[in-house]
Amino acid sequence: MASTVNDTAGARPGYGSLLRTRGALSFLLPGFLARQPFAMLTIGILLLVNHTTGSYGTAGTVSATAGVAMALFAPQSGKLADRFGQAAVLIPGVIVHAAAISLLTVLALSDAPLWALLAAAVPAGASTPQIGPMVRARWAAKLDGSPLMSTAAAFESVTDEFTFVIGPVLATALCTGVHPAAGLVAEAVLTLAGGLLFAAQRRTQPQPSGAAADAAEAGKRVSALSVPGVRVLAIVMLGIGTVFGGMQVSMTAFTKEMGDPGLNGLMYGAFAAGNMIAGIACGVIAWKTSPQRRLLLAYPLLVLATTPLWAAHHMVLLGALGMLVGLCIAPSLITGYTLVEKLVPAGARTEAFTWLTGAVGLGQAAGATVGGRLIDAHSASTGFLVPLGGTALALVVLLALRKALTPKGESVVAARGVGHREPVSVD
């Protein structure tokens, strides 16, 4: 560990220096493969169940059930990984997940009743591997005391953006171009293969605390949710999740309503392109303002970007607006994850990351459910009200509780970033 810190201590923070960190590629490449299914699960379920039942509402409900199970079990997965080691959690987890997805797929194709689909969706969501937080934990273990730690936080946030962009596009293309079940089949295969490859990289995983040490220190540990700022950020991420879920189900319905469902991948690709561009830019900019201030500026822009979606009745216009929304998501999402480094003690960061990631998944599921119900009752355009409503409600909470995002010991002036460069956070 000392050699890694010494190797990076004098490095100029940047993506190039980060990727040259010894051993980084050994977990980054399988980690990237293994985290794609996280964003493929809910859209894959949505498209398959909608195909077999013909109802967006039913499809959204099954998708939401998996998303809720994912959000509730994600923090527990993070705690177990800290305690027993990542491989000990991942190996049985990915096997259970692949089996649960297989069962759900068979039930959907067999026109099983709704209760059976919901029952299968619970283990499918609960067993979704939390690769993103595990990769962040590996960076923290390798870069302890290095100025590259803040670069790693930005890099992981950009990777998360790619995950939420590439995963749904891949699942949509497979479901619409190959077979309605192809998206979920690919999700299960990627989870199993990527998860096992990632778990095999034992040299870079953080040292597990062990059951005995965990029990002895239980009274000293700080729960991530006990930090007020984490609760605020979870609401912020929940709102962002409704954008992903609402856009997925609404774009699917809109292209079908317009008589050209094959354009769904292209439409979501425009949304994806906005995410990618803004995500990469946010990772390379040397910010002079604090992350608290950046979030308070970026989130209202996201709300404004979602406002005209429901009124768009042309493919080109909706594609342009979708790209605009994508451009506005990345700054809020990346800044939210960056704030965890400032607000949460090192011993609770993995849990904090899983809470935020789970909140995105929960919001995605809720957005798909509510959007599906609105579409079934009215039209595809009404589904686009979900991203607006979800982000607007989250913005109210953010503005009301914004002081919780200022770390203890940091002055209000410093938090606003007046005349100060953002300090580098280290574990």
Side-chain angles (χ1 to χ4, degrees):
M1 188 66 64
S3 62
T4 301
V5 175
N6 291 336
D7 291 343
T8 61
R12 182 179 181 273
Y15 288 145
S17 297
L18 182 71
L19 295 178
R20 287 192 295 271
T21 300
R22 186 178 304 170
L25 293 180
S26 68
F27 66 85
L28 281 181
L29 295 180
F32 182 78
L33 175 67
R35 73 207 297 174
Q36 295 309 311
F38 183 87
M40 295 174 66
L41 178 62
T42 54
I43 185 65
I45 294 174
L46 179 76
L47 293 172
L48 174 60
V49 176
N50 173 250
H51 171 78
T52 57
T53 65
S55 170
Y56 286 102
T58 300
T61 299
V62 179
S63 176
T65 300
V68 170
M70 184 195 306
L72 293 179
F73 281 85
Q76 308 309 316
S77 174
K79 287 182 179 180
L80 290 174
D82 283 337
R83 185 176 180 183
F84 299 108
Q86 294 181 358
V89 175
L90 270 178
I91 293 174
V94 296
I95 294 174
V96 171
H97 184 75
I101 290 297
S102 300
L103 175 61
L104 178 58
T105 302
V106 170
L107 289 173
L109 293 175
S110 303
D111 295 323
L114 178 59
W115 66 265
L117 298 178
L118 296 176
V122 172
S127 59
T128 304
Q130 300 300 311
I131 301 296
M134 290 182 180
V135 172
R136 283 183 166 90
R138 294 192 184 214
W139 277 125
K142 290 190 72 67
L143 299 177
D144 185 23
S146 168
L148 287 175
M149 189 58 221
S150 60
T151 307
F155 180 83
E156 285 308 308
S157 294
V158 171
T159 306
D160 281 335
E161 285 291 329
F162 277 101
T163 298
F164 281 107
V165 165
I166 295 175
V169 171
L170 176 60
T172 300
L174 289 172
C175 289
T176 57
V178 180
H179 187 276
L184 276 186
V185 171
E187 193 271 351
V189 171
L190 286 174
T191 297
L192 189 60
L196 292 178
L197 283 173
F198 183 80
Q201 312 306 314
R202 295 175 183 268
R203 288 186 178 182
T204 55
Q205 74 171 0
Q207 187 69 25
S209 62
D214 189 65
E217 296 179 7
K220 301 178 183 179
R221 290 182 180 271
V222 177
S223 170
L225 277 186
S226 69
V227 180
V230 172
R231 298 195 292 270
V232 176
L233 290 175
I235 298 298
V236 168
M237 295 298 177
L238 192 67
I240 291 175
T242 64
V243 179
F244 286 114
M247 293 289 282
Q248 287 172 4
V249 68
S250 300
M251 282 187 167
T252 300
F254 184 84
T255 53
K256 187 175 181 179
E257 191 175 273
M258 296 294 289
D260 201 345
L263 287 178
N264 183 38
L266 180 62
M267 297 295 290
Y268 200 85
F271 173 64
N275 263 305
M276 290 182 181
I277 294 169
I280 294 171
C282 286
V284 299
I285 293 175
W287 297 101
K288 295 183 179 181
T289 56
S290 69
Q292 301 95 300
R293 185 169 179 80
R294 295 203 303 269
L295 184 60
L296 290 171
L297 291 173
Y299 213 77
L301 292 178
L302 174 59
V303 177
L304 288 175
T306 62
T307 302
L309 286 172
W310 67 274
H313 298 289
H314 190 275
M315 290 282 196
V316 175
L317 177 58
L318 182 60
L321 291 175
M323 177 175 283
L324 177 62
V325 173
L327 287 169
C328 293
I329 283 182
S332 296
L333 189 64
I334 291 175
T335 305
Y337 278 110
T338 302
L339 274 167
V340 170
E341 298 290 331
K342 289 176 161 288
L343 296 170
V344 183
R349 283 177 187 163
T350 301
E351 181 192 353
F353 286 133
T354 54
W355 276 114
L356 299 193
T357 303
V360 174
L362 181 60
Q364 184 177 9
T369 301
V370 177
R373 297 294 181 188
L374 288 174
I375 292 167
D376 282 346
H378 302 285
S379 66
S381 296
T382 57
F384 290 112
L385 292 173
V386 172
L388 173 59
T391 53
L393 290 174
L395 178 60
V396 172
V397 175
L398 173 62
L399 294 177
L401 304 177
R402 61 188 181 277
K403 291 184 179 179
L405 299 180
T406 302
K408 292 181 179 179
E410 183 174 318
S411 67
V412 175
V413 173
R416 290 176 179 170
V418 180
H420 294 278
R421 293 184 67 86
E422 181 183 341
V424 176
S425 61
V426 296
D427 284 326

